[in-house]
Amino acid sequence: MKRPKLKKASKRMTCHKRYKIQKKVREHHRKLRKEAKKRGRKKPRKDPGVPNSAPFKEALLREAELRKQRLEELKQQQKLDRQKEQDKKRKLGTNPGVELSNEEPVKEEFGQSKAKKAKSSKQNPKKLYCQELKKVIEASDVVLEVLDARDPLGCRCPQVEAAIVEGGQKKLVLVLNKSDLVPKDNLENWLIYLKKELPTVVFKASTKLKDKGKRIKVGKKAAPFKSEVCVGKEGLWKLLRGFQETYGKAIHVGVIGFPNVGKSSIINSLKQERICHVGISMGLTRCMQAIPLDKQITIIDSPSFIVSPLNSALALALRSPASIEVVKPVEAASAILSHADSRQVVLKFTVPDFKNSLEFFTSFAQRRGLHQKGGSPNVEAAAKLLWSEWTGATLGYYCHPPTPWTPSPHFNENIVTNMKWGFNLEELEKNNARSIQAIKGPQLASSILFQSSGLTNGIIEEKDISEGLPKQKERKQEEEEDFEDVDTDQESVDEEGDEKSSDMSPAEEACEALFECQADEQSAQSFVLDKITEEEDDAYDFSTDYV
């Protein structure tokens, strides 16, 4: 005989009981609020800081500032190291069978010892960029130099092009990306100018792509994004496919260029999925990444070029990677504004006529609603906004190509013919003509005329970074000078101590003790404050002497 199933107890309750429970909960919360109101809120005690009358106050503040800078640099370096390790793991997971340029086994690359990791973490990120760029150039058979169509000449680096030419066996191709941001006539003029030296491809990358392995549901009435359409993909594919057939074996294609020209976006457009990191911020790609397009063509993403500090202020403002460079927005935006047509800038941003950059930033901040606490316009935020728009992918401006065509110093007739060998240039011209027709560029009146600064010098050798970029050396020298100043102050105090030992105040004795135990900075600062508060509590009025 089957055993009857037992029914579970019902969780239902009467309304009277439920309302009673809710009432008890409300009374309990009200009681807690009432008790908290009686106790009052205890504000955290503020740090009084170092009094103005304390001796050697400036030295203490300098030491605290230096310590804060060291901590910030350490955090930034750790962040870069973490990002690099994640990129390596992602690359290993997506392409386990692809051999990189160094041709080392995967175990040796990712199973480094702790000593090597510590050594690489201390290395300058700019040197790491140079190392990765060299690996990409060495591993590539064809190198695509990506140029921003708004300023193609400013995106060319003669040092990198000369290094590729010296190899002799590598091919260099120019890719005019962001072609939809310049007028068509200007794009055709630049194409005529550039193809005299190297094969040039007109391209417009797609920025709205789905992530790898994810599907995006689109409604029936949803209109496609304008930036979803990729132009020039077929022309670039046919160019690389034709060269691979002429070459006779599988090829590696390296993609190089300055920050924010769209290197990763071009790779994503060719792969038709978001496999490389892209974003508004500059310098997102920090290490090389090999991506197979098919069995015969492998494309390699690379970090951006490192700009030489010997360039003009305009080149430094437009081509410096913001991830590893401290960019001053007011100076950068002023340099950009000085090379743009003022009338067209006034019409584009709908601001009144201006005499200098400061006047423009003031009116631009008022126009965009950028204000500080007191209501005054935030000039720095306005400069930063202009700089971000100018380096981004939305603002339309254009440059005229130089009228007398002059070949680059590292090119001659033999090199030009060698670079064009193996490519079907007639088919490339037809594909470029189709791409120009398909692109809906802005009108000439709505674009801003811009004066280019010419070729931008870059740094390839790692030894040139320490010489050309002396910011870290200057910081070290400043720290050494600060400590030397502290030592000289200490010596002078010691010399006068024998004569005026009886007249010394307890605060001066505390400072002497501070500089004796200068090795431990944090304990020294707390030692001074404790001495002052214990021995001269009556002498100092902390209500008036706070810093």
Side-chain angles (χ1 to χ4, degrees):
M1 185 175 176
K2 269 190 176 183
R3 187 177 179 182
K5 293 181 180 180
L6 299 175
K7 290 185 179 181
K8 294 182 180 179
S10 176
K11 294 182 180 179
R12 288 185 178 182
M13 63 176 68
T14 60
C15 293
H16 174 72
K17 190 175 180 181
R18 185 168 70 249
Y19 296 152
K20 193 174 180 181
I21 292 170
Q22 292 175 0
K23 186 179 178 182
K24 288 283 185 183
V25 170
R26 284 198 302 270
E27 289 177 357
H28 176 68
H29 288 165
R30 185 175 60 82
K31 189 176 179 181
L32 291 178
R33 285 197 301 270
K34 193 174 181 181
E35 290 177 358
K37 193 175 180 181
K38 285 180 181 179
R39 288 195 302 268
R41 294 182 182 178
K42 291 184 178 180
K43 293 183 180 179
R45 192 175 180 182
K46 291 185 179 179
D47 184 15
V50 185
N52 287 335
S53 55
F56 309 112
K57 175 189 170 182
E58 294 180 359
L60 290 173
L61 293 177
R62 262 183 302 187
E63 288 175 13
E65 187 66 26
L66 289 172
R67 187 164 56 252
K68 188 178 178 182
Q69 286 179 2
R70 287 194 213 104
L71 288 173
E72 288 179 357
E73 289 175 1
L74 183 63
K75 285 181 182 179
Q76 189 176 6
Q77 189 62 42
Q78 289 174 352
K79 188 177 179 182
L80 289 173
D81 295 338
R82 283 196 301 271
Q83 184 68 28
K84 189 176 180 183
E85 288 179 5
Q86 288 176 2
D87 292 340
K88 284 184 178 179
K89 288 177 183 177
R90 190 181 298 109
K91 178 172 54 180
L92 180 63
T94 52
N95 309 304
V98 178
E99 293 183 359
L100 298 179
S101 60
N102 50 8
E103 296 182 359
E104 294 179 355
V106 177
K107 291 181 181 178
E108 292 182 4
E109 184 177 355
F110 295 98
Q112 295 177 349
S113 62
K114 292 182 180 180
K116 287 183 179 179
K117 285 183 180 179
K119 189 176 179 181
S120 64
S121 63
K122 293 179 182 177
Q123 197 172 3
N124 191 350
K126 296 179 183 178
K127 290 186 178 181
L128 293 174
Y129 275 40
C130 285
Q131 290 174 4
E132 296 295 320
L133 181 63
K134 280 184 178 180
K135 290 178 186 177
V136 172
I137 294 174
E138 288 172 4
S140 303
D141 302 308
V142 180
V143 180
L144 303 180
E145 187 177 10
V146 184
L147 311 179
D148 193 334
R150 297 174 291 184
D151 185 12
L153 203 62
C155 294
R156 294 184 66 177
C157 181
Q159 286 78 16
V160 177
E161 291 182 2
I164 295 169
V165 167
E166 286 175 3
Q169 298 178 353
K170 302 181 189 300
K171 304 294 180 183
L172 183 62
V173 178
L174 302 179
V175 180
L176 275 175
N177 194 23
K178 302 182 182 180
S179 301
D180 58 325
L181 299 177
V182 295
K184 286 189 178 182
D185 297 338
N186 184 259
L187 184 61
E188 291 173 356
N189 294 335
W190 272 112
L191 187 61
I192 294 168
Y193 180 86
L194 294 172
K195 72 180 182 181
K196 292 179 181 178
E197 286 184 350
L198 296 167
T200 308
V201 182
V202 176
F203 202 89
K204 174 187 170 291
S206 175
T207 55
K208 299 288 182 181
L209 291 168
K210 64 179 181 180
D211 294 335
K212 188 180 179 183
K214 292 184 179 180
R215 294 183 179 180
I216 301 173
K217 293 182 179 179
V218 182
K220 295 180 180 179
K221 296 183 179 180
F225 290 97
K226 186 181 178 182
S227 55
E228 283 182 358
V229 182
C230 177
V231 180
K233 176 186 168 184
E234 294 181 3
L236 186 57
W237 255 113
K238 289 180 181 178
L239 188 73
L240 296 176
R241 175 63 65 191
F243 178 77
Q244 186 271 324
E245 291 174 357
T246 308
Y247 197 63
K249 60 179 182 179
I251 60 171
H252 288 76
V253 181
V255 183
I256 61 173
F258 279 103
N260 247 18
V261 292
K263 302 182 291 296
S264 301
S265 298
I266 288 175
I267 296 173
N268 291 340
S269 300
L270 292 174
K271 192 68 177 174
Q272 290 186 341
E273 60 185 0
R274 189 174 294 174
I275 200 165
C276 297
H277 286 294
V278 293
I280 300 171
S281 57
M282 305 171 75
L284 281 177
T285 306
R286 295 184 177 89
C287 61
M288 62 181 291
Q289 184 179 1
I291 298 150
L293 295 180
D294 58 10
K295 293 181 180 179
Q296 301 296 329
I297 301 174
T298 302
I299 198 160
I300 306 173
D301 196 6
S302 70
S304 56
F305 298 155
I306 297 298
V307 186
S308 173
L310 303 177
N311 286 297
S312 62
L314 176 65
L316 293 173
L318 292 175
R319 313 292 170 217
S320 296
S323 59
I324 58 174
E325 199 78 40
V326 180
V327 180
K328 297 180 180 179
V330 177
E331 295 179 6
S334 299
I336 292 169
L337 201 62
S338 62
H339 285 74
D341 189 359
S342 58
R343 292 183 180 178
Q344 293 177 348
V345 168
V346 166
L347 293 173
K348 182 72 177 178
F349 296 103
T350 58
V351 294
D353 197 6
F354 56 93
K355 296 178 181 178
N356 51 29
S357 59
L358 184 62
E359 189 176 344
F360 170 78
F361 295 144
T362 305
S363 55
F364 186 52
Q366 291 174 349
R367 176 72 181 174
R368 295 293 179 95
L370 303 171
H371 299 290
Q372 293 178 349
K373 265 190 175 181
S376 59
N378 195 342
V379 174
E380 189 172 351
K384 194 172 182 179
L385 181 60
L386 178 72
W387 173 73
S388 62
E389 286 189 2
W390 212 275
T391 54
T394 55
L395 187 66
Y397 63 90
Y398 65 98
C399 304
H400 289 305
T403 46
W405 179 81
T406 53
S408 301
H410 49 276
F411 284 112
N412 53 36
E413 292 182 1
N414 295 328
I415 293 173
V416 169
T417 53
N418 185 26
M419 287 293 172
K420 292 181 180 180
W421 179 86
F423 296 110
N424 191 350
L425 299 179
E426 293 180 359
E427 189 176 4
L428 178 62
E429 287 184 4
K430 293 178 182 177
N431 291 325
N432 284 337
R434 291 173 190 166
S435 300
I436 292 172
Q437 287 180 357
I439 291 172
K440 295 181 180 179
Q443 295 181 359
L444 196 66
S446 61
S447 298
I448 301 173
L449 180 61
F450 188 71
Q451 186 179 359
S452 177
S453 59
L455 297 172
T456 306
N457 295 318
I459 298 176
I460 299 178
E461 298 297 330
E462 300 168 24
K463 61 182 181 180
D464 297 335
I465 290 176
S466 58
E467 297 173 2
L469 305 173
K471 290 185 178 180
Q472 294 182 352
K473 284 188 174 182
E474 287 178 1
R475 286 182 183 175
K476 290 181 181 178
Q477 289 176 1
E478 286 177 2
E479 291 179 8
E480 291 174 0
E481 289 174 2
D482 292 336
F483 286 118
E484 286 176 4
D485 295 339
V486 172
D487 293 336
T488 53
D489 293 338
Q490 184 181 1
E491 289 174 4
S492 61
V493 169
D494 292 337
E495 290 174 1
E496 295 175 358
D498 298 332
E499 299 176 359
K500 302 180 180 180
S501 59
S502 60
D503 298 330
M504 284 178 64
S505 63
E508 292 175 356
E509 292 176 2
C511 289
E512 272 194 358
L514 165 67
F515 290 109
E516 287 175 4
C517 59
Q518 196 175 10
D520 191 359
E521 297 173 356
Q522 294 180 355
S523 62
Q525 188 174 1
S526 61
F527 179 78
V528 170
L529 292 174
D530 293 340
K531 279 283 184 181
I532 290 171
T533 52
E534 287 175 7
E535 299 180 10
E536 291 192 336
D537 193 29
D538 299 328
Y540 293 97
D541 187 9
F542 286 97
S543 62
T544 57
D545 290 339
Y546 287 171
V547 180

